[in-house]
Amino acid sequence: MMTDLFADDDADKPDENPLLTQLAAISQKARQRHGAAAAPLKHSQRDFFVADLVDYSFKDDVASMDAPFFSLSTKTDRNIFRWDSSDGKRYVEVAPSAFGRATMLDKDVLIFLASQVTAARNAGLEVARTIRFVAHDFLLTTNRDTSRNGYKGLKDALTRLRGTTIRTNIRTGQRELTQIFGLIESAQIVTDDKNGRMSAVEVTLSEWLWRALLSFEVLSIDEGYFRLSKPLERRLYEIARKHVGKQREWKIGLEALWKKTGSQSPLKKFKHQLKQSIANDALPGYRYQLDGEDRVCCSPKSDSLSQEDLLARLVSS
C-alpha cells in the first residue's frame, strides 16, 4: 500500500481541544515575531568606528612625519607656511584659520586615531572614516591634563585641525594629485549634561589621511613621544623615526634639517635650540649630534637597539 506523502494526516483525527489550538496559534505567532527580530543585519558597516581598543601601539602617518605640516609655535600661529622638498618635486602649503594653524601638540589627535584604526584593521575589525572616542581616554593616553583645561585643549585642537587648510602634491595611498583639504573633515562633541565636559567625540578624517591609513602608510612610534613637552623635540623625533630606521646613522645638513622641521625661527636660533635638545638627550630611541661644520648626524641610542643590531655593529666595527 502506497502512502500519499501529500495527504492530509489530520483528516481521520478527532477534533482537537479548542483551547490547545488557540495556545498553539499564539505560540506560533510568538515564534514568528522572534524570527523577525533575529533577521539578518542589513547594514553591517556602521557609519562610524568606535575607538575603544586598549592594547595597541602608537602609529604616525609617514607623510606628515617626513614633511612639516604642523606649527612648532606655542603661540597662535596665523602665518601662511610653505615647504618644498630638496629636489623640488614635493611641496606643502599650509593656511591657518582665524584660530591659528594646527600645532605639533594638536597632532596627538591624529596619532591617537591612526593608532586605533591601524590596530583595528590588524585585528580584522571593521573601520570607518568617522571615528568616535571617549575624550577622557584620549587625554590619558596622550599624557594630557584631565582637568577642565585638558578638555578645553582638546576642543581647541579640534578647531585648529578643522580650520587649517593644506595644499600639497604629496601622495598617499599611491595617488599623486594636488589636493586641498583640512587636517580633519569635521568634528562633533557630545557634552555631559551633569558636568558640562565632553563625554564623546566624533572626528571624520580627511580623505588624504584616510587613504594613508588604508594603505598602512604608518610607522610605530615610542609612547615616550607624548612626554616630550617641546614641539621641536617632537618634530626631531618623528624625523629621526622616519629617516634613521634600522640604519646605523642618518646625516643631513643643519640648514636642510632646519627647513625640514618647519621651524620659523632664524637659522642661528634653530642651531641653538638643536644644541639644547642634544644636551637634554630626551628623545626616545634616537640621538642627534652636530659637528663643527654644521653637519647633523642622527643614530639610534645603543640602549634601544636589539641584541642582533648590537652584534652587527660590533662585527662591522
Side-chain angles (χ1 to χ4, degrees):
M1 179 178 175
M2 297 181 63
T3 303
D4 186 354
L5 296 178
F6 299 97
D8 187 355
D9 293 337
D10 294 333
D12 297 328
K13 290 182 180 180
D15 293 340
E16 294 183 354
N17 188 318
L19 180 59
L20 293 177
T21 302
Q22 185 177 3
L23 289 174
I26 294 173
S27 178
Q28 177 66 19
K29 290 181 179 180
R31 284 196 297 271
Q32 291 175 347
R33 286 196 300 271
H34 177 73
L41 186 63
K42 292 183 175 64
H43 305 288
S44 58
Q45 177 67 48
R46 287 190 293 187
D47 293 334
F48 60 88
F49 161 64
V50 178
D52 58 359
L53 302 178
V54 295
D55 185 17
Y56 59 92
S57 60
F58 293 109
K59 303 290 184 182
D60 199 350
D61 74 284
V62 174
S64 68
M65 294 174 77
D66 188 32
F69 285 76
F70 297 87
S71 173
L72 302 184
S73 177
T74 56
K75 299 179 181 179
T76 302
D77 185 350
R78 296 191 178 92
N79 297 314
I80 294 177
F81 172 81
R82 180 181 173 100
W83 170 85
D84 293 276
S85 62
S86 56
D87 59 9
K89 295 181 179 180
R90 297 172 299 141
Y91 72 90
V92 174
E93 292 178 330
V94 187
S97 70
F99 294 96
R101 179 179 162 202
T103 70
M104 282 298 299
L105 298 180
D106 298 340
K107 189 182 181 181
D108 288 358
V109 176
L110 303 186
I111 293 175
F112 175 77
L113 298 180
S115 305
Q116 287 275 342
V117 168
T118 303
R121 295 193 68 210
N122 287 333
L125 303 177
E126 294 287 344
V127 293
R129 191 156 64 95
T130 298
I131 306 167
R132 176 180 292 180
F133 63 95
V134 177
H136 188 260
D137 291 348
F138 165 78
L139 296 176
L140 286 178
T141 300
T142 56
N143 197 40
R144 288 173 175 246
D145 189 357
T146 55
S147 68
R148 184 179 297 273
N149 288 336
Y151 288 90
K152 181 182 182 300
L154 174 54
K155 183 178 180 181
D156 292 343
L158 293 170
T159 302
R160 286 188 292 267
L161 289 167
R162 173 62 185 87
T164 299
T165 301
I166 305 293
R167 183 164 62 184
T168 183
N169 65 347
I170 295 178
R171 69 173 64 188
T172 58
Q174 303 303 314
R175 294 184 64 186
E176 184 174 357
L177 66 164
T178 298
Q179 282 207 302
I180 303 170
F181 56 91
L183 288 166
I184 61 174
E185 186 172 297
S186 64
Q188 179 172 288
I189 299 171
V190 180
T191 304
D192 191 318
D193 293 334
K194 295 181 180 179
N195 55 30
R197 289 184 177 178
M198 300 181 192
S199 58
V201 181
E202 284 189 8
V203 173
T204 301
L205 299 176
S206 68
E207 284 279 4
W208 185 87
L209 178 57
W210 184 242
R211 285 199 306 271
L213 299 186
L214 293 184
S215 301
F216 290 104
E217 295 172 359
V218 293
L219 287 174
S220 298
I221 63 172
D222 194 288
E223 64 179 352
Y225 170 89
F226 297 109
R227 294 197 295 272
L228 297 174
S229 58
K230 296 180 179 179
L232 176 59
E233 290 194 333
R234 291 190 174 206
R235 181 69 185 129
L236 289 171
Y237 169 81
E238 66 178 10
I239 290 174
R241 178 67 185 90
K242 166 66 174 63
H243 290 280
V244 176
K246 294 184 177 180
Q247 301 178 83
R248 295 183 59 184
E249 60 184 16
W250 172 72
K251 294 183 178 181
I252 186 173
L254 176 65
E255 186 173 353
L257 179 63
W258 169 56
K259 292 178 180 178
K260 198 169 190 61
T261 62
S263 173
Q264 297 296 286
S265 298
L267 179 58
K268 185 176 180 180
K269 184 175 181 180
F270 171 78
K271 182 178 180 179
H272 175 70
Q273 292 170 334
L274 178 61
K275 286 182 175 180
Q276 282 187 322
S277 177
I278 292 173
N280 293 337
D281 196 25
L283 303 188
Y286 297 98
R287 178 174 289 116
Y288 280 86
Q289 292 177 311
L290 176 66
D291 67 17
E293 298 181 1
D294 284 348
R295 290 182 301 219
V296 182
C297 178
C298 184
S299 59
K301 291 181 178 177
S302 58
D303 56 359
S304 67
L305 295 173
S306 66
Q307 291 184 352
E308 293 181 357
D309 292 333
L310 284 171
L311 181 60
R313 287 195 172 197
L314 290 172
V315 171
S316 61
S317 60

